[in-house]
Amino acid sequence: AQSVTQLDSQVPVFEEAPVELRCNYSSSVSVYLFWYVQYPNQGLQLLLKYLSGSTLVKGINGFEAEFNKSQTSFHLRKPSVHISDTAEYFCAVSPSGGKLIFGQGTELSVKP
Amino acid sequence: EAGVAQSPRYKIIEKRQSVAFWCNPISGHATLYWYQQILGQGPKLLIQFQNNGVVDDSQLPKDRFSAERLKGVDSTLKIQPAKLEDSAVYLCASSPRQGVGEKLFFGSGTQLSVL
């Protein structure tokens, strides 16, 4: 069975510091990988996705993620965070292009 | 462009009562999804429609949950009767088409509390 594990439920960080949100998955078939963000009182929005090609994917708002097939990981990174990045971040996989399976979410809290 | 609209925003009911949620997807989006998000967990797909046909309802508890998408536009999700464990946020999402890597557009959700 396919699954997604987000290793940190909460990540506190100071403004302008770098951040990494970790995501590991398990799947017996090829997967497509996504990161969604949910700002307070808003719906989920797509940050970035990996379908094929370069393993380093750039998304909106300065975020990027790297697909590592040997480690079955798809960690999200940003070199310098802003207060406005405070939100919940969800990693998701789509095994063989099927339905999305979401992780439990990581709450990023950026402090001044 | 208007986003995915959901109503109501909040709903509080007692167990064994019934409840219905409404979703209006982005105009022209053929694919519509209902997700259940329990506190502390990621969203879980309940049902996926392609136009007015069901593509996947394998995780929908059909003894109490039902959903329809008449005319391939708006959709309603109903729970009857509700249980305490149905307390969650119900998210509606839409996409222009069904396909690999399609971006989903989410509504703000309906937060259900079953007492």
Side-chain angles (χ1 to χ4, degrees), chain B residues 28-72:
Chain B
H29 280 198
T31 310
L32 185 146
Y33 312 78
W34 283 102
Y35 284 84
Q36 180 192 58
Q37 186 177 10
I38 293 172
L39 188 64
Q41 299 181 21
K44 182 185 82 172
L45 180 68
L46 291 176
I47 189 167
Q48 177 184 343
F49 291 94
Q50 180 69 16
N51 296 311
N52 60 350
V54 175
V55 173
D56 184 344
D57 64 357
S58 57
Q59 297 193 91
L60 186 73
K62 298 180 187 65
D63 57 334
R64 298 183 301 106
F65 285 64
S66 65
E68 60 182 11
R69 191 183 183 197
L70 299 176
K71 301 180 182 178

mmCIF file of all heavy atoms in Angstrom, chain B residues 28-72:
data_model
loop_
_atom_site.group_PDB
_atom_site.id
_atom_site.type_symbol
_atom_site.label_atom_id
_atom_site.label_comp_id
_atom_site.label_asym_id
_atom_site.label_seq_id
_atom_site.Cartn_x
_atom_site.Cartn_y
_atom_site.Cartn_z
ATOM 1 N N GLY B 28 -16.480 25.392 -15.661
ATOM 2 C CA GLY B 28 -15.792 24.652 -16.709
ATOM 3 C C GLY B 28 -14.959 23.481 -16.233
ATOM 4 O O GLY B 28 -14.448 22.706 -17.045
ATOM 5 N N HIS B 29 -14.799 23.347 -14.910
ATOM 6 C CA HIS B 29 -14.017 22.224 -14.389
ATOM 7 C C HIS B 29 -14.865 20.952 -14.424
ATOM 8 O O HIS B 29 -15.917 20.870 -13.830
ATOM 9 C CB HIS B 29 -13.555 22.510 -12.959
ATOM 10 C CG HIS B 29 -12.366 23.401 -12.905
ATOM 11 N ND1 HIS B 29 -11.558 23.518 -11.779
ATOM 12 C CD2 HIS B 29 -11.808 24.211 -13.843
ATOM 13 C CE1 HIS B 29 -10.575 24.364 -12.036
ATOM 14 N NE2 HIS B 29 -10.709 24.807 -13.277
ATOM 15 N N ALA B 30 -14.322 19.944 -15.121
ATOM 16 C CA ALA B 30 -15.072 18.709 -15.313
ATOM 17 C C ALA B 30 -14.967 17.771 -14.113
ATOM 18 O O ALA B 30 -15.857 16.967 -13.861
ATOM 19 C CB ALA B 30 -14.582 17.991 -16.571
ATOM 20 N N THR B 31 -13.861 17.861 -13.395
ATOM 21 C CA THR B 31 -13.609 16.898 -12.314
ATOM 22 C C THR B 31 -13.847 17.563 -10.957
ATOM 23 O O THR B 31 -13.384 18.671 -10.711
ATOM 24 C CB THR B 31 -12.165 16.366 -12.385
ATOM 25 O OG1 THR B 31 -11.909 15.942 -13.734
ATOM 26 C CG2 THR B 31 -11.992 15.168 -11.472
ATOM 27 N N LEU B 32 -14.567 16.861 -10.095
ATOM 28 C CA LEU B 32 -14.900 17.383 -8.769
ATOM 29 C C LEU B 32 -14.597 16.316 -7.740
ATOM 30 O O LEU B 32 -14.859 15.121 -7.949
ATOM 31 C CB LEU B 32 -16.367 17.794 -8.702
ATOM 32 C CG LEU B 32 -16.863 18.476 -7.424
ATOM 33 C CD1 LEU B 32 -17.934 19.512 -7.746
ATOM 34 C CD2 LEU B 32 -17.346 17.487 -6.392
ATOM 35 N N TYR B 33 -14.032 16.739 -6.602
ATOM 36 C CA TYR B 33 -13.620 15.830 -5.535
ATOM 37 C C TYR B 33 -14.208 16.286 -4.200
ATOM 38 O O TYR B 33 -14.305 17.491 -3.945
ATOM 39 C CB TYR B 33 -12.096 15.836 -5.373
ATOM 40 C CG TYR B 33 -11.271 15.688 -6.630
ATOM 41 C CD1 TYR B 33 -11.078 16.761 -7.494
ATOM 42 C CD2 TYR B 33 -10.646 14.480 -6.928
ATOM 43 C CE1 TYR B 33 -10.302 16.635 -8.635
ATOM 44 C CE2 TYR B 33 -9.860 14.344 -8.068
ATOM 45 C CZ TYR B 33 -9.697 15.431 -8.915
ATOM 46 O OH TYR B 33 -8.922 15.301 -10.043
ATOM 47 N N TRP B 34 -14.548 15.321 -3.369
ATOM 48 C CA TRP B 34 -14.847 15.586 -1.963
ATOM 49 C C TRP B 34 -13.796 14.870 -1.113
ATOM 50 O O TRP B 34 -13.545 13.682 -1.281
ATOM 51 C CB TRP B 34 -16.227 15.067 -1.578
ATOM 52 C CG TRP B 34 -17.373 15.921 -2.025
ATOM 53 C CD1 TRP B 34 -18.202 15.711 -3.091
ATOM 54 C CD2 TRP B 34 -17.855 17.107 -1.392
ATOM 55 N NE1 TRP B 34 -19.147 16.704 -3.172
ATOM 56 C CE2 TRP B 34 -18.959 17.571 -2.131
ATOM 57 C CE3 TRP B 34 -17.457 17.839 -0.268
ATOM 58 C CZ2 TRP B 34 -19.681 18.728 -1.787
ATOM 59 C CZ3 TRP B 34 -18.155 18.981 0.072
ATOM 60 C CH2 TRP B 34 -19.260 19.419 -0.676
ATOM 61 N N TYR B 35 -13.197 15.632 -0.198
ATOM 62 C CA TYR B 35 -12.214 15.099 0.734
ATOM 63 C C TYR B 35 -12.711 15.293 2.166
ATOM 64 O O TYR B 35 -13.407 16.269 2.471
ATOM 65 C CB TYR B 35 -10.872 15.824 0.613
ATOM 66 C CG TYR B 35 -10.040 15.450 -0.584
ATOM 67 C CD1 TYR B 35 -10.244 16.040 -1.827
ATOM 68 C CD2 TYR B 35 -9.023 14.491 -0.467
ATOM 69 C CE1 TYR B 35 -9.464 15.698 -2.921
ATOM 70 C CE2 TYR B 35 -8.241 14.152 -1.559
ATOM 71 C CZ TYR B 35 -8.471 14.754 -2.781
ATOM 72 O OH TYR B 35 -7.689 14.408 -3.863
ATOM 73 N N GLN B 36 -12.307 14.373 3.034
ATOM 74 C CA GLN B 36 -12.550 14.502 4.476
ATOM 75 C C GLN B 36 -11.206 14.729 5.156
ATOM 76 O O GLN B 36 -10.268 13.968 4.935
ATOM 77 C CB GLN B 36 -13.195 13.226 5.015
ATOM 78 C CG GLN B 36 -13.481 13.262 6.515
ATOM 79 C CD GLN B 36 -13.848 11.885 7.045
ATOM 80 O OE1 GLN B 36 -13.086 10.936 6.916
ATOM 81 N NE2 GLN B 36 -15.022 11.771 7.646
ATOM 82 N N GLN B 37 -11.119 15.787 5.973
ATOM 83 C CA GLN B 37 -9.881 16.067 6.696
ATOM 84 C C GLN B 37 -10.176 16.079 8.192
ATOM 85 O O GLN B 37 -10.725 17.028 8.732
ATOM 86 C CB GLN B 37 -9.279 17.402 6.263
ATOM 87 C CG GLN B 37 -7.919 17.674 6.889
ATOM 88 C CD GLN B 37 -7.296 18.974 6.406
ATOM 89 O OE1 GLN B 37 -7.930 19.790 5.749
ATOM 90 N NE2 GLN B 37 -6.028 19.177 6.725
ATOM 91 N N ILE B 38 -9.783 15.005 8.852
ATOM 92 C CA ILE B 38 -9.927 14.902 10.297
ATOM 93 C C ILE B 38 -8.767 15.644 10.955
ATOM 94 O O ILE B 38 -7.651 15.654 10.430
ATOM 95 C CB ILE B 38 -9.968 13.419 10.730
ATOM 96 C CG1 ILE B 38 -11.250 12.780 10.190
ATOM 97 C CG2 ILE B 38 -9.865 13.262 12.222
ATOM 98 C CD1 ILE B 38 -11.336 11.283 10.374
ATOM 99 N N LEU B 39 -9.024 16.262 12.088
ATOM 100 C CA LEU B 39 -8.018 17.065 12.779
ATOM 101 C C LEU B 39 -6.722 16.279 12.975
ATOM 102 O O LEU B 39 -6.740 15.149 13.477
ATOM 103 C CB LEU B 39 -8.564 17.502 14.132
ATOM 104 C CG LEU B 39 -7.717 18.516 14.913
ATOM 105 C CD1 LEU B 39 -7.625 19.832 14.168
ATOM 106 C CD2 LEU B 39 -8.289 18.727 16.308
ATOM 107 N N GLY B 40 -5.615 16.875 12.528
ATOM 108 C CA GLY B 40 -4.308 16.235 12.684
ATOM 109 C C GLY B 40 -3.949 15.257 11.580
ATOM 110 O O GLY B 40 -2.888 14.632 11.626
ATOM 111 N N GLN B 41 -4.826 15.132 10.588
ATOM 112 C CA GLN B 41 -4.564 14.224 9.475
ATOM 113 C C GLN B 41 -4.629 14.973 8.151
ATOM 114 O O GLN B 41 -5.173 16.073 8.078
ATOM 115 C CB GLN B 41 -5.588 13.081 9.469
ATOM 116 C CG GLN B 41 -5.568 12.223 10.717
ATOM 117 C CD GLN B 41 -6.591 11.104 10.643
ATOM 118 O OE1 GLN B 41 -7.039 10.710 9.562
ATOM 119 N NE2 GLN B 41 -6.965 10.587 11.799
ATOM 120 N N GLY B 42 -4.091 14.365 7.122
ATOM 121 C CA GLY B 42 -4.210 14.949 5.798
ATOM 122 C C GLY B 42 -5.565 14.635 5.191
ATOM 123 O O GLY B 42 -6.285 13.752 5.656
ATOM 124 N N PRO B 43 -5.928 15.349 4.141
ATOM 125 C CA PRO B 43 -7.210 15.087 3.477
ATOM 126 C C PRO B 43 -7.270 13.667 2.906
ATOM 127 O O PRO B 43 -6.266 13.158 2.394
ATOM 128 C CB PRO B 43 -7.250 16.118 2.347
ATOM 129 C CG PRO B 43 -6.299 17.199 2.770
ATOM 130 C CD PRO B 43 -5.225 16.504 3.529
ATOM 131 N N LYS B 44 -8.442 13.057 2.996
ATOM 132 C CA LYS B 44 -8.673 11.717 2.451
ATOM 133 C C LYS B 44 -9.796 11.805 1.436
ATOM 134 O O LYS B 44 -10.869 12.340 1.729
ATOM 135 C CB LYS B 44 -9.049 10.745 3.571
ATOM 136 C CG LYS B 44 -9.265 9.312 3.108
ATOM 137 C CD LYS B 44 -9.741 8.417 4.231
ATOM 138 C CE LYS B 44 -11.233 8.549 4.444
ATOM 139 N NZ LYS B 44 -11.764 7.551 5.400
ATOM 140 N N LEU B 45 -9.544 11.261 0.246
ATOM 141 C CA LEU B 45 -10.551 11.322 -0.812
ATOM 142 C C LEU B 45 -11.763 10.473 -0.456
ATOM 143 O O LEU B 45 -11.639 9.300 -0.118
ATOM 144 C CB LEU B 45 -9.954 10.830 -2.132
ATOM 145 C CG LEU B 45 -10.907 10.843 -3.323
ATOM 146 C CD1 LEU B 45 -11.258 12.275 -3.718
ATOM 147 C CD2 LEU B 45 -10.301 10.103 -4.518
ATOM 148 N N LEU B 46 -12.942 11.089 -0.548
ATOM 149 C CA LEU B 46 -14.195 10.355 -0.356
ATOM 150 C C LEU B 46 -14.785 9.926 -1.700
ATOM 151 O O LEU B 46 -15.187 8.777 -1.873
ATOM 152 C CB LEU B 46 -15.212 11.220 0.388
ATOM 153 C CG LEU B 46 -14.910 11.536 1.852
ATOM 154 C CD1 LEU B 46 -15.964 12.480 2.404
ATOM 155 C CD2 LEU B 46 -14.864 10.252 2.675
ATOM 156 N N ILE B 47 -14.850 10.866 -2.643
ATOM 157 C CA ILE B 47 -15.475 10.573 -3.921
ATOM 158 C C ILE B 47 -14.951 11.529 -4.981
ATOM 159 O O ILE B 47 -14.624 12.685 -4.682
ATOM 160 C CB ILE B 47 -17.020 10.649 -3.824
ATOM 161 C CG1 ILE B 47 -17.687 10.128 -5.096
ATOM 162 C CG2 ILE B 47 -17.480 12.058 -3.484
ATOM 163 C CD1 ILE B 47 -19.198 9.888 -4.932
ATOM 164 N N GLN B 48 -14.833 11.019 -6.200
ATOM 165 C CA GLN B 48 -14.392 11.807 -7.348
ATOM 166 C C GLN B 48 -15.419 11.660 -8.459
ATOM 167 O O GLN B 48 -15.831 10.542 -8.804
ATOM 168 C CB GLN B 48 -13.025 11.334 -7.842
ATOM 169 C CG GLN B 48 -12.524 12.046 -9.084
ATOM 170 C CD GLN B 48 -11.209 11.494 -9.612
ATOM 171 O OE1 GLN B 48 -10.495 10.782 -8.893
ATOM 172 N NE2 GLN B 48 -10.885 11.802 -10.845
ATOM 173 N N PHE B 49 -15.825 12.806 -9.017
ATOM 174 C CA PHE B 49 -16.744 12.831 -10.148
ATOM 175 C C PHE B 49 -16.008 13.305 -11.407
ATOM 176 O O PHE B 49 -15.160 14.195 -11.343
ATOM 177 C CB PHE B 49 -17.896 13.825 -9.909
ATOM 178 C CG PHE B 49 -18.867 13.435 -8.838
ATOM 179 C CD1 PHE B 49 -18.706 13.892 -7.533
ATOM 180 C CD2 PHE B 49 -19.964 12.637 -9.132
ATOM 181 C CE1 PHE B 49 -19.612 13.556 -6.549
ATOM 182 C CE2 PHE B 49 -20.882 12.297 -8.160
ATOM 183 C CZ PHE B 49 -20.696 12.759 -6.861
ATOM 184 N N GLN B 50 -16.357 12.747 -12.527
ATOM 185 C CA GLN B 50 -15.956 13.272 -13.819
ATOM 186 C C GLN B 50 -17.268 13.646 -14.512
ATOM 187 O O GLN B 50 -18.060 12.767 -14.840
ATOM 188 C CB GLN B 50 -15.178 12.226 -14.627
ATOM 189 C CG GLN B 50 -14.716 12.689 -15.996
ATOM 190 C CD GLN B 50 -13.623 13.738 -15.938
ATOM 191 O OE1 GLN B 50 -12.994 13.933 -14.906
ATOM 192 N NE2 GLN B 50 -13.392 14.411 -17.046
ATOM 193 N N ASN B 51 -17.469 14.956 -14.685
ATOM 194 C CA ASN B 51 -18.780 15.476 -15.093
ATOM 195 C C ASN B 51 -19.817 14.978 -14.081
ATOM 196 O O ASN B 51 -19.649 15.213 -12.903
ATOM 197 C CB ASN B 51 -19.084 15.098 -16.538
ATOM 198 C CG ASN B 51 -18.099 15.756 -17.482
ATOM 199 O OD1 ASN B 51 -17.858 16.960 -17.405
ATOM 200 N ND2 ASN B 51 -17.483 14.963 -18.348
ATOM 201 N N ASN B 52 -20.851 14.261 -14.447
ATOM 202 C CA ASN B 52 -21.807 13.814 -13.435
ATOM 203 C C ASN B 52 -21.688 12.334 -13.136
ATOM 204 O O ASN B 52 -22.567 11.758 -12.492
ATOM 205 C CB ASN B 52 -23.238 14.189 -13.832
ATOM 206 C CG ASN B 52 -23.620 13.556 -15.152
ATOM 207 O OD1 ASN B 52 -22.783 13.000 -15.851
ATOM 208 N ND2 ASN B 52 -24.886 13.637 -15.511
ATOM 209 N N GLY B 53 -20.575 11.716 -13.583
ATOM 210 C CA GLY B 53 -20.344 10.301 -13.306
ATOM 211 C C GLY B 53 -19.311 10.097 -12.213
ATOM 212 O O GLY B 53 -18.364 10.869 -12.098
ATOM 213 N N VAL B 54 -19.508 9.046 -11.424
ATOM 214 C CA VAL B 54 -18.581 8.731 -10.336
ATOM 215 C C VAL B 54 -17.373 7.970 -10.878
ATOM 216 O O VAL B 54 -17.527 6.955 -11.555
ATOM 217 C CB VAL B 54 -19.287 7.890 -9.251
ATOM 218 C CG1 VAL B 54 -18.278 7.465 -8.180
ATOM 219 C CG2 VAL B 54 -20.426 8.680 -8.627
ATOM 220 N N VAL B 55 -16.164 8.483 -10.573
ATOM 221 C CA VAL B 55 -14.925 7.825 -10.996
ATOM 222 C C VAL B 55 -14.392 6.922 -9.892
ATOM 223 O O VAL B 55 -13.926 5.814 -10.148
ATOM 224 C CB VAL B 55 -13.863 8.872 -11.370
ATOM 225 C CG1 VAL B 55 -12.513 8.221 -11.654
ATOM 226 C CG2 VAL B 55 -14.323 9.713 -12.555
ATOM 227 N N ASP B 56 -14.466 7.414 -8.643
ATOM 228 C CA ASP B 56 -13.904 6.668 -7.514
ATOM 229 C C ASP B 56 -14.701 7.015 -6.269
ATOM 230 O O ASP B 56 -14.750 8.174 -5.884
ATOM 231 C CB ASP B 56 -12.423 7.026 -7.334
ATOM 232 C CG ASP B 56 -11.718 6.217 -6.246
ATOM 233 O OD1 ASP B 56 -12.395 5.590 -5.403
ATOM 234 O OD2 ASP B 56 -10.468 6.214 -6.234
ATOM 235 N N ASP B 57 -15.342 6.032 -5.682
ATOM 236 C CA ASP B 57 -16.011 6.230 -4.385
ATOM 237 C C ASP B 57 -15.634 5.105 -3.435
ATOM 238 O O ASP B 57 -16.410 4.750 -2.541
ATOM 239 C CB ASP B 57 -17.523 6.358 -4.541
ATOM 240 C CG ASP B 57 -18.154 5.077 -5.089
ATOM 241 O OD1 ASP B 57 -17.410 4.118 -5.400
ATOM 242 O OD2 ASP B 57 -19.390 5.032 -5.219
ATOM 243 N N SER B 58 -14.443 4.563 -3.622
ATOM 244 C CA SER B 58 -14.030 3.397 -2.853
ATOM 245 C C SER B 58 -13.879 3.674 -1.357
ATOM 246 O O SER B 58 -13.957 2.757 -0.546
ATOM 247 C CB SER B 58 -12.709 2.849 -3.404
ATOM 248 O OG SER B 58 -11.701 3.848 -3.380
ATOM 249 N N GLN B 59 -13.651 4.925 -0.965
ATOM 250 C CA GLN B 59 -13.476 5.247 0.450
ATOM 251 C C GLN B 59 -14.681 5.988 1.021
ATOM 252 O O GLN B 59 -14.594 6.540 2.120
ATOM 253 C CB GLN B 59 -12.189 6.062 0.647
ATOM 254 C CG GLN B 59 -10.945 5.273 0.262
ATOM 255 C CD GLN B 59 -9.671 5.930 0.742
ATOM 256 O OE1 GLN B 59 -9.187 5.662 1.840
ATOM 257 N NE2 GLN B 59 -9.128 6.804 -0.073
ATOM 258 N N LEU B 60 -15.779 5.992 0.314
ATOM 259 C CA LEU B 60 -17.004 6.643 0.799
ATOM 260 C C LEU B 60 -17.800 5.632 1.631
ATOM 261 O O LEU B 60 -18.152 4.564 1.116
ATOM 262 C CB LEU B 60 -17.848 7.113 -0.378
ATOM 263 C CG LEU B 60 -19.084 7.943 -0.055
ATOM 264 C CD1 LEU B 60 -18.680 9.344 0.389
ATOM 265 C CD2 LEU B 60 -20.020 7.996 -1.257
ATOM 266 N N PRO B 61 -18.082 5.937 2.897
ATOM 267 C CA PRO B 61 -18.900 5.011 3.719
ATOM 268 C C PRO B 61 -20.350 5.047 3.233
ATOM 269 O O PRO B 61 -21.162 5.839 3.694
ATOM 270 C CB PRO B 61 -18.749 5.577 5.138
ATOM 271 C CG PRO B 61 -17.631 6.567 5.072
ATOM 272 C CD PRO B 61 -17.601 7.089 3.676
ATOM 273 N N LYS B 62 -20.662 4.173 2.331
ATOM 274 C CA LYS B 62 -21.926 4.280 1.591
ATOM 275 C C LYS B 62 -23.162 3.977 2.447
ATOM 276 O O LYS B 62 -24.286 4.260 2.014
ATOM 277 C CB LYS B 62 -21.876 3.362 0.376
ATOM 278 C CG LYS B 62 -20.775 3.737 -0.617
ATOM 279 C CD LYS B 62 -20.772 2.808 -1.806
ATOM 280 C CE LYS B 62 -19.577 3.070 -2.699
ATOM 281 N NZ LYS B 62 -18.284 2.771 -2.040
ATOM 282 N N ASP B 63 -22.958 3.420 3.638
ATOM 283 C CA ASP B 63 -24.117 3.177 4.487
ATOM 284 C C ASP B 63 -24.661 4.485 5.068
ATOM 285 O O ASP B 63 -25.826 4.563 5.475
ATOM 286 C CB ASP B 63 -23.759 2.211 5.625
ATOM 287 C CG ASP B 63 -22.596 2.717 6.478
ATOM 288 O OD1 ASP B 63 -21.765 3.495 5.968
ATOM 289 O OD2 ASP B 63 -22.526 2.341 7.661
ATOM 290 N N ARG B 64 -23.832 5.533 5.071
ATOM 291 C CA ARG B 64 -24.293 6.796 5.668
ATOM 292 C C ARG B 64 -23.989 8.032 4.822
ATOM 293 O O ARG B 64 -24.601 9.072 5.003
ATOM 294 C CB ARG B 64 -23.661 6.978 7.059
ATOM 295 C CG ARG B 64 -24.039 5.893 8.039
ATOM 296 C CD ARG B 64 -23.460 6.148 9.422
ATOM 297 N NE ARG B 64 -22.009 6.221 9.395
ATOM 298 C CZ ARG B 64 -21.315 7.353 9.515
ATOM 299 N NH1 ARG B 64 -21.945 8.506 9.653
ATOM 300 N NH2 ARG B 64 -19.990 7.334 9.506
ATOM 301 N N PHE B 65 -23.041 7.915 3.919
ATOM 302 C CA PHE B 65 -22.642 9.046 3.087
ATOM 303 C C PHE B 65 -23.202 8.857 1.672
ATOM 304 O O PHE B 65 -23.196 7.734 1.146
ATOM 305 C CB PHE B 65 -21.120 9.155 2.978
ATOM 306 C CG PHE B 65 -20.429 9.685 4.216
ATOM 307 C CD1 PHE B 65 -20.463 8.996 5.415
ATOM 308 C CD2 PHE B 65 -19.712 10.867 4.163
ATOM 309 C CE1 PHE B 65 -19.806 9.476 6.544
ATOM 310 C CE2 PHE B 65 -19.040 11.360 5.282
ATOM 311 C CZ PHE B 65 -19.095 10.662 6.468
ATOM 312 N N SER B 66 -23.645 9.962 1.091
ATOM 313 C CA SER B 66 -24.041 9.944 -0.321
ATOM 314 C C SER B 66 -23.629 11.261 -0.949
ATOM 315 O O SER B 66 -23.500 12.282 -0.259
ATOM 316 C CB SER B 66 -25.547 9.722 -0.461
ATOM 317 O OG SER B 66 -26.254 10.821 0.100
ATOM 318 N N ALA B 67 -23.403 11.232 -2.248
ATOM 319 C CA ALA B 67 -23.022 12.450 -2.962
ATOM 320 C C ALA B 67 -23.602 12.392 -4.356
ATOM 321 O O ALA B 67 -23.770 11.321 -4.932
ATOM 322 C CB ALA B 67 -21.503 12.585 -3.027
ATOM 323 N N GLU B 68 -23.909 13.559 -4.867
ATOM 324 C CA GLU B 68 -24.405 13.625 -6.235
ATOM 325 C C GLU B 68 -23.891 14.895 -6.902
ATOM 326 O O GLU B 68 -23.551 15.869 -6.235
ATOM 327 C CB GLU B 68 -25.932 13.580 -6.268
ATOM 328 C CG GLU B 68 -26.623 14.711 -5.530
ATOM 329 C CD GLU B 68 -28.139 14.573 -5.569
ATOM 330 O OE1 GLU B 68 -28.657 13.517 -5.982
ATOM 331 O OE2 GLU B 68 -28.805 15.541 -5.169
ATOM 332 N N ARG B 69 -23.842 14.827 -8.204
ATOM 333 C CA ARG B 69 -23.395 15.970 -8.991
ATOM 334 C C ARG B 69 -24.319 16.049 -10.210
ATOM 335 O O ARG B 69 -23.974 15.634 -11.311
ATOM 336 C CB ARG B 69 -21.950 15.831 -9.427
ATOM 337 C CG ARG B 69 -21.392 17.125 -10.014
ATOM 338 C CD ARG B 69 -19.993 16.992 -10.521
ATOM 339 N NE ARG B 69 -19.500 18.278 -11.000
ATOM 340 C CZ ARG B 69 -18.438 18.428 -11.791
ATOM 341 N NH1 ARG B 69 -17.755 17.357 -12.183
ATOM 342 N NH2 ARG B 69 -18.053 19.621 -12.174
ATOM 343 N N LEU B 70 -25.480 16.592 -9.972
ATOM 344 C CA LEU B 70 -26.469 16.697 -11.029
ATOM 345 C C LEU B 70 -26.001 17.698 -12.077
ATOM 346 O O LEU B 70 -25.417 18.729 -11.750
ATOM 347 C CB LEU B 70 -27.809 17.130 -10.441
ATOM 348 C CG LEU B 70 -28.411 16.158 -9.410
ATOM 349 C CD1 LEU B 70 -29.669 16.729 -8.819
ATOM 350 C CD2 LEU B 70 -28.649 14.793 -10.029
ATOM 351 N N LYS B 71 -26.211 17.370 -13.333
ATOM 352 C CA LYS B 71 -25.885 18.247 -14.462
ATOM 353 C C LYS B 71 -24.391 18.529 -14.557
ATOM 354 O O LYS B 71 -23.971 19.437 -15.287
ATOM 355 C CB LYS B 71 -26.657 19.564 -14.393
ATOM 356 C CG LYS B 71 -28.170 19.380 -14.389
ATOM 357 C CD LYS B 71 -28.907 20.711 -14.309
ATOM 358 C CE LYS B 71 -30.406 20.494 -14.250
ATOM 359 N NZ LYS B 71 -31.145 21.776 -14.122
ATOM 360 N N GLY B 72 -23.579 17.801 -13.795
ATOM 361 C CA GLY B 72 -22.137 17.940 -13.916
ATOM 362 C C GLY B 72 -21.573 19.260 -13.447
ATOM 363 O O GLY B 72 -20.470 19.637 -13.849
#
